[in-house]
Amino acid sequence: MNIFCFSPFGYEGSLVTVEVDLRRGIPAVDLVGLADGAIKESRERMKTAIRNSGFEFPGERVLISLSPADLKKEGAGFDLAIALAVLSRQKELEPDVDFLVLGELELNGRIRPVRAVHAAVSTAHAAGIRYCIIPEENADEAREVSGMKVFGASNLYDAFHSLFSTDSFTEKNRNSSLKKIPSKDSEEIEGILFPKESEDFSEIRNQEKLVRALQIAAAGFHNLLAYGPPGCGKTLSIMKYPSLLPLLLPDESQSTTRIYSIAGLLGAEKSSIFRTPFRTPHQTASIEGMCGGGARLSPGEISLAHNGALFLDEAAEFKTSVLQMLRVPMETGSISLSRAGRSTVFPARFQLLMSANPCPCGNYGSKDRICLCSARSVEQYWRKFSAPLLDRIDLRVQTETSVKKDSESKKGISTHELRKDIARAVLIQRNRQGKRNALLSPSEIAEFCRCTPEATLYLDEKSRLFEFSSRSVSGCLKVARTITDMKQKEIIGIEEMEEAVSFRKNGGILETTATLL
């Protein structure tokens, strides 16, 4: 039998073997293996908890080894593993299976919950360990890992006796409803593909183009920028965007849940995350808060938005360094962090949504308001985004303040109607290429984004007219592919290409700052 624990550091973390040796000498507890302060203090917690749980602490000299020896171990989750290893060695009992053990001990023997349980259990399962002893509050989180048998212990006494009674370990019955989605168009698809709770898009009036752009973005995972005067409905519309996002697939859910487990953000239910993440950091967010870092290399906002959307409201108010930091993760889908000679790679495949005013005062380009900003201040305002960042945004929408009264404007399209086209496109993409259109590589674009001669000619003409970069042309093709999928067509036509190009170069304010694009 081997008892393993888990040292959370970055995305991967490390399994740690806990070994105990009893030898002659002055009674004491020696702990080796690069343990931090919290683990060293566990010696006293462990001794008191063993005695208060009805066991006798060994009278010999106790040597506790945490291996690998050259790996720094951190956190209070080692308490229970060390205590069980000491008791097993003292009683010379050796169960015939390996265990992952996590938990912090109170002096009375009760076990406190710890963080990163899902990440620890996933790592242990990949290493071939099939049994784990977890704090009772974390048991449901551990059972989300398929194939892992879990015992939720409330105290040290129960945890020790579970080592010799594997029948008390249980695993969760898997629900396969999200693994198989019907390929035909039916009313059942919405209930399976989307969350039940939703915001009503029909409340949004006179912003048809923005709603259409959000629909396309949800269908193809495209990046989006909405800009316009204050109060026109940019933030209101985008905050309803999660209602259009399909639920995560099981593989996507596993990686997202692992990130939230490491960050300690799984919530009270401690269950797998199937709802697509939607993160809205504040404008004062630092680079470390966005990309991750800290003493234990915790995930940042871009990793918490993995497989989901990252919404930057009033994007121009973010620090320029923060905005420019997004460029590489947007391209690679991951971010590498380093600290004190150790490094980790967090997944960061996110969809970027941004809203911004047209200028510092917000009135530039408005028909009924006066802009007091100079041409230089407007240019500096937009220069914060930089051309390479804006070039990665396929959907750009200029919004206007409506002059119609609510009684005169017609009701917007409902969430249910928007979801129909999104569902068609998502199912087509999953069956055809196994990924969203925005993530297609250049070779995949050539394979899947086939166009009619008219559509190809139109894109060539507009590319020369607007001086599109290679990335811009690829973006137009991917957006056109998504629009075509929403219409359930195979070949990209002239109508789909015209709409895609209109979102890439839609006139207005961005045209006056062409040097930035």
Side-chain angles (χ1 to χ4, degrees):
M1 176 198 75
N2 288 317
I3 291 180
F4 295 89
C5 198
F6 182 76
S7 179
F9 186 90
Y11 181 72
E12 299 85 4
S14 302
L15 285 178
V16 176
T17 305
V18 182
E19 300 174 294
V20 171
D21 181 63
L22 304 181
R23 51 186 174 162
R24 294 182 179 180
I26 299 174
V29 178
D30 299 321
L31 183 62
V32 297
L34 284 182
D36 71 348
I39 300 177
K40 291 178 180 179
E41 291 175 353
S42 69
R43 292 178 295 186
E44 301 303 322
R45 291 193 299 270
M46 177 263 302
K47 289 171 60 176
T48 305
I50 287 177
R51 289 170 178 153
N52 290 339
S53 298
F55 301 105
E56 183 179 350
F57 192 79
E60 297 91 344
R61 192 174 187 90
V62 180
L63 173 63
I64 302 170
S65 174
L66 306 179
S67 58
D70 60 345
L71 176 71
K72 186 174 182 179
K73 290 84 180 179
E74 301 175 339
F78 287 78
D79 290 8
L80 182 59
I82 292 174
L84 294 183
V86 170
L87 290 174
S88 299
R89 184 69 183 86
Q90 178 193 26
K91 298 182 180 298
E92 298 184 352
L93 299 173
E94 290 289 337
D96 55 0
V97 297
D98 295 335
F99 294 90
L100 171 71
V101 181
L102 297 172
E104 177 185 344
L105 285 173
E106 297 180 358
L107 298 183
N108 59 8
R110 292 190 59 82
I111 302 174
R112 295 175 59 85
V114 294
R115 68 182 183 92
V117 168
H118 186 279
V121 175
S122 299
T123 303
H125 186 272
I129 302 171
R130 295 295 179 265
Y131 294 88
C132 65
I133 302 173
I134 302 294
E136 192 171 28
E137 291 87 343
N138 297 120
D140 290 339
E141 180 180 349
R143 292 190 182 98
E144 293 295 331
V145 179
S146 179
M148 182 63 78
K149 296 184 178 181
V150 180
F151 180 81
S154 59
N155 55 67
L156 178 59
Y157 182 87
D158 293 340
F160 176 71
H161 287 88
S162 70
L163 291 173
F164 314 98
S165 178
T166 55
D167 293 339
S168 59
F169 288 71
T170 60
E171 57 181 315
K172 182 178 180 180
N173 294 325
R174 315 315 301 177
N175 185 355
S176 61
S177 61
L178 288 175
K179 297 181 181 179
K180 186 176 181 180
I181 298 176
S183 57
K184 61 181 180 179
D185 190 10
S186 67
E187 292 295 330
E188 297 178 359
I189 294 180
E190 181 176 343
I192 297 176
L193 198 62
F194 296 96
K196 294 181 180 179
E197 305 83 7
S198 65
E199 296 282 351
D200 188 5
F201 266 85
S202 63
E203 299 174 354
I204 301 174
R205 305 187 180 189
N206 306 313
Q207 293 296 347
E208 291 81 5
K209 189 163 187 177
L210 176 56
V211 173
R212 174 62 173 172
L214 290 172
Q215 184 187 32
I216 297 172
F221 206 67
H222 303 286
N223 301 320
L224 177 145
L225 167 65
Y227 59 97
C232 62
K234 306 184 299 294
T235 302
L236 175 64
S237 301
I238 298 178
M239 290 301 292
K240 293 178 181 290
Y241 181 70
S243 300
L244 303 181
L245 295 174
L247 296 172
L248 299 177
L249 292 173
D251 291 343
E252 297 171 336
S253 173
Q254 287 295 314
S255 60
T256 302
T257 304
R258 183 184 182 97
I259 294 171
Y260 276 72
S261 173
I262 293 170
L265 298 176
L266 274 185
E269 64 276 7
K270 302 292 184 182
S271 59
S272 292
I273 297 175
F274 281 99
R275 186 154 189 169
T276 304
F278 183 77
R279 303 293 298 182
T280 56
H282 192 263
Q283 294 89 346
T284 57
S286 63
I287 291 183
E288 291 76 14
M290 292 292 288
C291 69
R296 297 178 179 175
L297 285 186
S298 300
E301 288 292 338
I302 62 173
S303 295
L304 294 172
H306 178 58
N307 291 322
L310 178 70
F311 175 38
L312 304 185
D313 193 15
E314 301 295 343
E317 302 303 324
F318 283 81
K319 295 179 182 178
T320 303
S321 57
V322 171
L323 294 176
Q324 301 314 310
M325 176 274 302
L326 300 175
R327 289 158 49 185
V328 173
M330 288 171 67
E331 204 71 27
T332 63
S334 62
I335 183 167
S336 178
L337 304 175
S338 299
R339 173 185 172 269
R342 298 178 64 183
S343 62
T344 186
V345 178
F346 274 106
R349 179 68 68 187
F350 62 93
Q351 177 185 20
L352 180 63
L353 308 176
M354 296 194 298
S355 69
N357 291 332
C359 67
C361 76
N363 297 330
Y364 184 72
S366 178
K367 299 177 182 179
D368 55 351
R369 298 179 183 178
I370 299 177
C371 175
L372 302 177
C373 303
S374 64
R376 180 175 178 80
S377 65
V378 175
E379 182 182 355
Q380 290 178 338
Y381 180 84
W382 281 99
R383 197 174 290 276
K384 293 187 66 176
F385 293 97
S386 83
L389 178 62
L390 290 176
D391 202 33
R392 289 170 168 82
I393 299 175
D394 297 330
L395 301 171
R396 304 141 179 219
V397 185
Q398 181 179 1
T399 58
E400 297 286 350
T401 303
S402 176
V403 296
K404 297 180 181 179
K405 299 179 180 179
D406 290 342
S407 58
E408 298 175 350
S409 59
K410 64 179 181 179
K411 196 173 184 179
I413 188 171
S414 68
T415 302
H416 174 70
E417 291 298 323
L418 292 171
R419 282 177 168 181
K420 287 183 179 180
D421 290 341
I422 296 172
R424 297 189 191 104
V426 170
L427 293 178
I428 289 173
Q429 293 165 52
R430 288 178 178 176
N431 293 331
R432 182 181 60 219
Q433 68 230 11
K435 62 172 68 172
R436 308 296 287 279
N437 287 333
L439 308 180
L440 293 175
S441 65
S443 60
E444 290 170 332
I445 292 175
E447 179 181 357
F448 299 120
C449 299
R450 292 178 296 163
C451 305
T452 63
E454 294 81 4
T456 302
L457 179 60
Y458 179 83
L459 179 60
D460 291 341
E461 292 176 352
K462 296 303 179 182
S463 298
R464 290 191 296 269
L465 176 63
F466 296 125
E467 299 181 352
F468 281 170
S469 65
S470 297
R471 183 184 286 114
S472 300
V473 174
S474 298
C476 290
L477 285 169
K478 289 185 284 188
V479 171
R481 178 71 267 174
T482 299
I483 298 171
T484 305
D485 290 340
M486 293 168 68
K487 297 180 179 180
Q488 294 183 301
K489 296 168 58 178
E490 293 185 4
I491 307 298
I492 299 173
I494 183 67
E495 293 182 1
E496 294 77 29
M497 187 60 71
E498 287 177 347
E499 185 174 10
V501 172
S502 72
F503 282 114
R504 166 62 66 164
K505 280 286 187 178
N506 58 357
I509 299 162
L510 289 185
E511 290 299 321
T512 65
T513 55
T515 56
L516 301 180
L517 301 178

Short mmCIF file of all heavy atoms in Angstrom, two decimals, residues 216-251:
data_model
loop_
_atom_site.label_atom_id
_atom_site.label_comp_id
_atom_site.label_asym_id
_atom_site.label_seq_id
_atom_site.Cartn_x
_atom_site.Cartn_y
_atom_site.Cartn_z
N ILE A 216 -24.02 35.32 -33.87
CA ILE A 216 -22.95 34.74 -34.65
C ILE A 216 -21.76 34.38 -33.76
O ILE A 216 -21.13 33.33 -33.92
CB ILE A 216 -22.52 35.71 -35.77
CG1 ILE A 216 -23.68 35.94 -36.74
CG2 ILE A 216 -21.30 35.18 -36.52
CD1 ILE A 216 -23.41 37.03 -37.78
N ALA A 217 -21.45 35.25 -32.81
CA ALA A 217 -20.34 34.99 -31.90
C ALA A 217 -20.58 33.73 -31.08
O ALA A 217 -19.67 32.92 -30.88
CB ALA A 217 -20.14 36.20 -30.97
N ALA A 218 -21.80 33.55 -30.60
CA ALA A 218 -22.13 32.36 -29.82
C ALA A 218 -22.09 31.10 -30.68
O ALA A 218 -21.70 30.03 -30.21
CB ALA A 218 -23.51 32.51 -29.19
N ALA A 219 -22.47 31.23 -31.94
CA ALA A 219 -22.50 30.07 -32.83
C ALA A 219 -21.11 29.62 -33.24
O ALA A 219 -20.86 28.42 -33.42
CB ALA A 219 -23.33 30.38 -34.07
N GLY A 220 -20.16 30.56 -33.38
CA GLY A 220 -18.84 30.21 -33.88
C GLY A 220 -17.69 30.50 -32.96
O GLY A 220 -16.53 30.29 -33.32
N PHE A 221 -17.94 31.03 -31.74
CA PHE A 221 -16.90 31.34 -30.75
C PHE A 221 -16.00 32.48 -31.23
O PHE A 221 -14.81 32.53 -30.92
CB PHE A 221 -16.05 30.09 -30.47
CG PHE A 221 -15.41 30.08 -29.11
CD1 PHE A 221 -16.18 29.97 -27.96
CD2 PHE A 221 -14.04 30.16 -28.97
CE1 PHE A 221 -15.59 29.95 -26.71
CE2 PHE A 221 -13.44 30.15 -27.73
CZ PHE A 221 -14.22 30.04 -26.60
N HIS A 222 -16.56 33.44 -31.95
CA HIS A 222 -15.78 34.55 -32.49
C HIS A 222 -15.64 35.67 -31.47
O HIS A 222 -16.54 35.90 -30.64
CB HIS A 222 -16.46 35.09 -33.76
CG HIS A 222 -16.66 34.06 -34.82
ND1 HIS A 222 -15.64 33.58 -35.59
CD2 HIS A 222 -17.79 33.41 -35.22
CE1 HIS A 222 -16.12 32.68 -36.44
NE2 HIS A 222 -17.41 32.56 -36.24
N ASN A 223 -14.55 36.42 -31.56
CA ASN A 223 -14.34 37.59 -30.71
C ASN A 223 -15.18 38.76 -31.23
O ASN A 223 -15.45 38.85 -32.43
CB ASN A 223 -12.87 37.99 -30.71
CG ASN A 223 -11.98 36.87 -30.19
OD1 ASN A 223 -12.34 36.17 -29.25
ND2 ASN A 223 -10.83 36.69 -30.81
N LEU A 224 -15.56 39.65 -30.31
CA LEU A 224 -16.49 40.73 -30.67
C LEU A 224 -16.13 42.02 -29.96
O LEU A 224 -15.72 42.01 -28.79
CB LEU A 224 -17.92 40.30 -30.33
CG LEU A 224 -19.05 41.32 -30.57
CD1 LEU A 224 -20.33 40.59 -31.03
CD2 LEU A 224 -19.37 42.11 -29.30
N LEU A 225 -16.29 43.13 -30.67
CA LEU A 225 -16.15 44.46 -30.10
C LEU A 225 -17.39 45.27 -30.42
O LEU A 225 -17.79 45.39 -31.58
CB LEU A 225 -14.91 45.16 -30.69
CG LEU A 225 -14.80 46.68 -30.43
CD1 LEU A 225 -14.62 46.96 -28.95
CD2 LEU A 225 -13.65 47.28 -31.25
N ALA A 226 -18.02 45.82 -29.40
CA ALA A 226 -19.17 46.72 -29.57
C ALA A 226 -18.77 48.10 -29.06
O ALA A 226 -18.28 48.24 -27.94
CB ALA A 226 -20.38 46.20 -28.79
N TYR A 227 -18.95 49.12 -29.90
CA TYR A 227 -18.58 50.47 -29.50
C TYR A 227 -19.69 51.43 -29.90
O TYR A 227 -20.37 51.26 -30.92
CB TYR A 227 -17.24 50.88 -30.15
CG TYR A 227 -17.25 50.85 -31.66
CD1 TYR A 227 -17.48 52.00 -32.40
CD2 TYR A 227 -17.01 49.66 -32.34
CE1 TYR A 227 -17.48 51.98 -33.79
CE2 TYR A 227 -17.02 49.62 -33.72
CZ TYR A 227 -17.25 50.78 -34.44
OH TYR A 227 -17.26 50.75 -35.80
N GLY A 228 -19.89 52.42 -29.07
CA GLY A 228 -20.95 53.39 -29.29
C GLY A 228 -21.11 54.29 -28.08
O GLY A 228 -20.44 54.11 -27.06
N PRO A 229 -21.99 55.28 -28.16
CA PRO A 229 -22.16 56.24 -27.07
C PRO A 229 -22.72 55.59 -25.81
O PRO A 229 -23.32 54.53 -25.87
CB PRO A 229 -23.14 57.27 -27.66
CG PRO A 229 -23.88 56.53 -28.74
CD PRO A 229 -22.89 55.57 -29.31
N PRO A 230 -22.50 56.22 -24.66
CA PRO A 230 -23.02 55.66 -23.40
C PRO A 230 -24.54 55.54 -23.43
O PRO A 230 -25.23 56.39 -23.99
CB PRO A 230 -22.55 56.67 -22.35
CG PRO A 230 -21.43 57.43 -22.99
CD PRO A 230 -21.73 57.46 -24.46
N GLY A 231 -25.04 54.50 -22.82
CA GLY A 231 -26.48 54.33 -22.67
C GLY A 231 -27.19 53.74 -23.86
O GLY A 231 -28.43 53.67 -23.87
N CYS A 232 -26.45 53.26 -24.87
CA CYS A 232 -27.11 52.72 -26.06
C CYS A 232 -27.44 51.24 -25.93
O CYS A 232 -28.13 50.68 -26.79
CB CYS A 232 -26.27 52.96 -27.30
SG CYS A 232 -24.66 52.16 -27.25
N GLY A 233 -26.96 50.57 -24.88
CA GLY A 233 -27.33 49.18 -24.65
C GLY A 233 -26.23 48.17 -24.90
O GLY A 233 -26.51 46.97 -24.98
N LYS A 234 -24.97 48.60 -25.00
CA LYS A 234 -23.88 47.66 -25.25
C LYS A 234 -23.74 46.66 -24.10
O LYS A 234 -23.77 45.45 -24.31
CB LYS A 234 -22.55 48.42 -25.43
CG LYS A 234 -22.57 49.51 -26.50
CD LYS A 234 -21.20 50.12 -26.65
CE LYS A 234 -20.69 50.80 -25.39
NZ LYS A 234 -21.50 51.98 -25.01
N THR A 235 -23.57 47.19 -22.90
CA THR A 235 -23.35 46.33 -21.74
C THR A 235 -24.58 45.47 -21.46
O THR A 235 -24.46 44.27 -21.15
CB THR A 235 -23.00 47.18 -20.50
OG1 THR A 235 -21.84 47.97 -20.79
CG2 THR A 235 -22.75 46.30 -19.30
N LEU A 236 -25.76 46.05 -21.55
CA LEU A 236 -26.99 45.30 -21.30
C LEU A 236 -27.10 44.09 -22.22
O LEU A 236 -27.45 42.99 -21.78
CB LEU A 236 -28.21 46.21 -21.49
CG LEU A 236 -29.59 45.54 -21.38
CD1 LEU A 236 -29.81 45.02 -19.98
CD2 LEU A 236 -30.68 46.53 -21.78
N SER A 237 -26.77 44.30 -23.48
CA SER A 237 -26.88 43.21 -24.45
C SER A 237 -25.86 42.11 -24.18
O SER A 237 -26.18 40.92 -24.18
CB SER A 237 -26.70 43.75 -25.87
OG SER A 237 -27.66 44.74 -26.18
N ILE A 238 -24.61 42.51 -23.94
CA ILE A 238 -23.56 41.51 -23.77
C ILE A 238 -23.72 40.76 -22.45
O ILE A 238 -23.37 39.58 -22.36
CB ILE A 238 -22.18 42.18 -23.87
CG1 ILE A 238 -22.01 42.80 -25.26
CG2 ILE A 238 -21.06 41.18 -23.62
CD1 ILE A 238 -20.69 43.53 -25.46
N MET A 239 -24.27 41.40 -21.43
CA MET A 239 -24.49 40.71 -20.17
C MET A 239 -25.54 39.60 -20.29
O MET A 239 -25.60 38.70 -19.46
CB MET A 239 -24.90 41.71 -19.08
CG MET A 239 -23.77 42.64 -18.64
SD MET A 239 -22.31 41.78 -17.99
CE MET A 239 -22.97 41.11 -16.47
N LYS A 240 -26.36 39.66 -21.31
CA LYS A 240 -27.32 38.59 -21.57
C LYS A 240 -26.71 37.48 -22.42
O LYS A 240 -27.35 36.45 -22.66
CB LYS A 240 -28.56 39.15 -22.29
CG LYS A 240 -29.40 40.11 -21.46
CD LYS A 240 -30.57 40.64 -22.28
CE LYS A 240 -31.43 41.61 -21.46
NZ LYS A 240 -32.16 40.92 -20.39
N TYR A 241 -25.50 37.67 -22.86
CA TYR A 241 -24.85 36.75 -23.79
C TYR A 241 -24.74 35.31 -23.26
O TYR A 241 -24.85 34.36 -24.05
CB TYR A 241 -23.47 37.30 -24.14
CG TYR A 241 -22.69 36.47 -25.11
CD1 TYR A 241 -23.07 36.37 -26.45
CD2 TYR A 241 -21.55 35.77 -24.71
CE1 TYR A 241 -22.34 35.61 -27.35
CE2 TYR A 241 -20.83 35.00 -25.60
CZ TYR A 241 -21.23 34.93 -26.91
OH TYR A 241 -20.52 34.17 -27.81
N PRO A 242 -24.52 35.07 -21.95
CA PRO A 242 -24.42 33.68 -21.48
C PRO A 242 -25.63 32.82 -21.83
O PRO A 242 -25.50 31.59 -21.93
CB PRO A 242 -24.27 33.84 -19.97
CG PRO A 242 -23.62 35.16 -19.79
CD PRO A 242 -24.21 36.02 -20.87
N SER A 243 -26.79 33.42 -22.03
CA SER A 243 -27.98 32.65 -22.38
C SER A 243 -27.86 32.02 -23.76
O SER A 243 -28.60 31.07 -24.07
CB SER A 243 -29.23 33.54 -22.34
OG SER A 243 -29.42 34.08 -21.05
N LEU A 244 -26.96 32.52 -24.59
CA LEU A 244 -26.79 31.99 -25.94
C LEU A 244 -25.67 30.96 -26.03
O LEU A 244 -25.48 30.35 -27.09
CB LEU A 244 -26.49 33.14 -26.92
CG LEU A 244 -27.50 34.27 -27.00
CD1 LEU A 244 -27.06 35.30 -28.02
CD2 LEU A 244 -28.88 33.73 -27.34
N LEU A 245 -24.94 30.76 -24.96
CA LEU A 245 -23.79 29.86 -25.00
C LEU A 245 -24.20 28.43 -24.71
O LEU A 245 -24.88 28.15 -23.72
CB LEU A 245 -22.74 30.31 -23.97
CG LEU A 245 -22.09 31.66 -24.23
CD1 LEU A 245 -21.19 32.05 -23.07
CD2 LEU A 245 -21.30 31.64 -25.53
N PRO A 246 -23.81 27.48 -25.56
CA PRO A 246 -24.16 26.07 -25.32
C PRO A 246 -23.39 25.51 -24.13
O PRO A 246 -22.32 26.02 -23.76
CB PRO A 246 -23.74 25.38 -26.62
CG PRO A 246 -22.68 26.26 -27.18
CD PRO A 246 -23.04 27.67 -26.80
N LEU A 247 -23.95 24.48 -23.52
CA LEU A 247 -23.28 23.82 -22.41
C LEU A 247 -21.99 23.16 -22.88
O LEU A 247 -21.82 22.81 -24.05
CB LEU A 247 -24.20 22.77 -21.79
CG LEU A 247 -25.49 23.29 -21.15
CD1 LEU A 247 -26.39 22.13 -20.76
CD2 LEU A 247 -25.19 24.15 -19.93
N LEU A 248 -21.07 22.99 -21.95
CA LEU A 248 -19.78 22.40 -22.28
C LEU A 248 -19.91 20.90 -22.52
O LEU A 248 -20.75 20.22 -21.91
CB LEU A 248 -18.79 22.63 -21.13
CG LEU A 248 -18.47 24.08 -20.77
CD1 LEU A 248 -17.53 24.13 -19.57
CD2 LEU A 248 -17.84 24.82 -21.94
N LEU A 249 -19.07 20.39 -23.39
CA LEU A 249 -18.95 18.95 -23.57
C LEU A 249 -18.19 18.36 -22.39
O LEU A 249 -17.49 19.08 -21.66
CB LEU A 249 -18.21 18.65 -24.87
CG LEU A 249 -18.96 19.00 -26.17
CD1 LEU A 249 -18.04 18.82 -27.37
CD2 LEU A 249 -20.21 18.16 -26.32
N PRO A 250 -18.30 17.05 -22.14
CA PRO A 250 -17.62 16.45 -20.97
C PRO A 250 -16.12 16.74 -20.91
O PRO A 250 -15.59 17.02 -19.84
CB PRO A 250 -17.91 14.95 -21.14
CG PRO A 250 -19.20 14.91 -21.87
CD PRO A 250 -19.18 16.08 -22.81
N ASP A 251 -15.42 16.66 -22.05
CA ASP A 251 -13.97 16.93 -22.04
C ASP A 251 -13.69 18.39 -21.68
O ASP A 251 -12.75 18.69 -20.94
CB ASP A 251 -13.37 16.61 -23.40
CG ASP A 251 -13.36 15.12 -23.69
OD1 ASP A 251 -13.52 14.34 -22.73
OD2 ASP A 251 -13.22 14.73 -24.87
#
